[in-house]
Amino acid sequence: MRILIAAVFAVFSQQSLAQEVDLKAIVGAHILPGYQALAKEAQALSAAAKADCNPESAALLAAYHDAFDAWIRVSHLRFGPSEKNDRAFALAFWPDPRGSTPKTLATLMRDEDPVVKDPVAFATVSVAARGFYAMEFLLFDPQFVDNDNKTYRCALVQAVAGDIAANSAGILADWEGGYADLIASPGNDTFRTPQEAAQQIFTSISTGLEFTSLARLGRPMGTFERPRPARAEARRSGRSLRHVILSLEATRDLTMLLAGDDPDVARAFDTALSRANALEDPVFARVSDPQGRFAVEVLQFDIDELRRILAESVGPRLGIAAGFNSLDGD
């Protein structure tokens, strides 16, 4: 009898927390503003590329950074419209362990592929040659910046920028065109209950933090015997650490909307963000040095500790086991 009462209480607690989560506030204060900013900045990037496609253009570089910032702030929201037609991959194909992005871009330039002239056709190109990481190569890597075929490089920069704008606009249109209502007002085929909607949001937070720990920090660290700083995300444009900070800020904002004023969670986020902001290594170049590596390891530990606290304090209240691994899909 006690077991039955405990089980009923557990289910009631999960449903109560899910009912207390203000899903409309999460959509209205975090998700929609994030995608609206992405669509706006992506359109500005496309306009800047059309006005001046020179990699040395201050306006183009500023637009690139602004749009990339906007993407990182929503990059943890990997569900719904961002997954339709592989939009998220088309915007952000990374990690790229086989170096597919520079290879695919080089092939397009070598062949002077006319696909850059047609936005619809360009949308069928490999995701390796699309999105923010492809744009980074075109604007910052000597292989492309110093390429003599400036006319085609210009057309390719404009095609990539236009594709980024189209995908960003498409994601926003789908959110505003109905998907926001599905998650804000459960009781539909996508989200049957508030608990399911809250669990999806929790999964996004957990996945975002896990990706930052394993990929954004783990890849450049490599192993102690073989550090791999050249694997750092967006290192060519000096954005590696910035992505960690932006992602932590975004997931913190979403977590506070989901879990409310949880002091342990708030402290854990503050610790990780304080550590990241104090790290004077923008592209993790110092992971080859024992002291520099230690600083990044401590930051990674802080993020992993944050994930543990979320898994143990917030997850179970949403009906998610503490051992849940978001990237493995368990």
Side-chain angles (χ1 to χ4, degrees):
M1 184 68 175
R2 287 196 299 269
I3 295 175
L4 176 61
I5 292 173
V8 171
F9 178 77
V11 172
F12 178 77
S13 298
Q14 293 164 12
Q15 292 176 342
S16 296
L17 177 61
Q19 292 287 353
E20 292 170 3
V21 173
D22 192 339
L23 295 168
K24 288 184 172 65
I26 288 174
V27 171
H30 183 86
I31 298 176
L32 286 181
Y35 280 123
Q36 287 163 353
L38 174 61
K40 177 183 176 182
E41 299 298 346
Q43 183 56 46
L45 172 60
S46 181
K50 290 178 181 177
D52 187 352
C53 57
N54 191 323
E56 297 178 357
S57 166
L60 176 57
L61 295 177
Y64 158 82
H65 285 295
D66 288 345
F68 213 162
D69 284 355
W71 163 251
I72 296 301
R73 291 189 179 105
V74 296
S75 61
H76 55 287
L77 300 171
R78 296 294 291 262
F79 64 94
S82 71
E83 300 304 281
K84 181 180 178 181
N85 299 325
D86 288 329
R87 285 167 173 157
F89 280 115
L91 287 170
F93 179 71
W94 188 86
D96 178 17
R98 298 183 179 180
S100 299
T101 293
K103 292 176 184 175
T104 308
L105 290 172
T107 299
L108 289 172
M109 291 197 67
R110 183 196 65 209
D111 298 343
E112 295 191 8
D113 196 319
V115 72
V116 296
K117 299 177 181 179
D118 182 356
V120 175
F122 192 78
T124 67
V125 169
S126 167
V127 293
R130 299 163 62 193
F132 289 106
Y133 299 94
M135 182 65 79
E136 183 189 34
F137 270 96
L138 294 171
L139 297 181
F140 293 92
D141 192 277
Q143 176 183 356
F144 302 99
V145 172
D146 299 334
N147 192 288
D148 291 334
N149 192 346
K150 293 180 173 53
T151 299
Y152 190 84
R153 183 193 63 203
C154 178
L156 186 52
V157 166
Q158 292 171 341
V160 172
D163 188 61
I164 289 172
N167 273 311
S168 301
I171 294 172
L172 177 61
D174 284 353
W175 270 99
E176 293 182 333
Y179 198 85
D181 293 332
L182 295 179
I183 195 167
S185 302
N188 50 75
D189 290 340
T190 304
F191 299 102
R192 293 172 296 176
T193 65
Q195 183 181 357
E196 287 186 357
Q199 287 174 343
Q200 177 63 80
I201 293 166
F202 180 86
T203 299
S204 297
I205 295 168
S206 182
T207 302
L209 292 170
E210 192 168 13
F211 184 80
T212 292
S213 174
L214 295 180
R216 292 189 169 118
L217 297 178
R219 284 183 61 79
M221 279 199 299
T223 64
F224 186 83
E225 294 78 15
R226 192 183 183 190
R228 307 296 291 270
R231 288 183 172 181
E233 181 187 22
R235 65 176 178 80
R236 291 168 181 79
S237 51
R239 299 181 52 90
S240 309
L241 177 59
R242 181 167 181 77
H243 285 193
V244 172
I245 294 171
L246 288 173
S247 183
L248 282 173
E249 290 174 345
T251 50
R252 177 192 59 187
D253 292 346
L254 182 54
T255 301
M256 295 303 103
L257 288 168
L258 177 68
D261 188 19
D262 187 315
D264 292 335
V265 172
R267 278 193 296 270
F269 267 109
D270 288 344
T271 297
L273 274 165
S274 177
R275 191 93 62 188
N277 279 300
L279 191 63
E280 298 179 354
D281 191 4
V283 295
F284 304 130
R286 294 183 57 214
V287 294
S288 297
D289 171 75
Q291 186 174 354
R293 177 185 178 82
F294 177 73
V296 179
E297 284 181 333
V298 173
L299 174 57
Q300 186 182 50
F301 173 83
D302 289 339
I303 294 172
D304 290 341
E305 179 67 7
L306 170 57
R307 291 184 59 243
R308 183 192 66 77
I309 292 171
L310 284 170
E312 293 180 357
S313 67
V314 180
R317 288 186 284 153
L318 295 171
I320 300 174
F324 168 74
N325 185 312
S326 51
L327 288 183
D328 286 346
D330 296 336

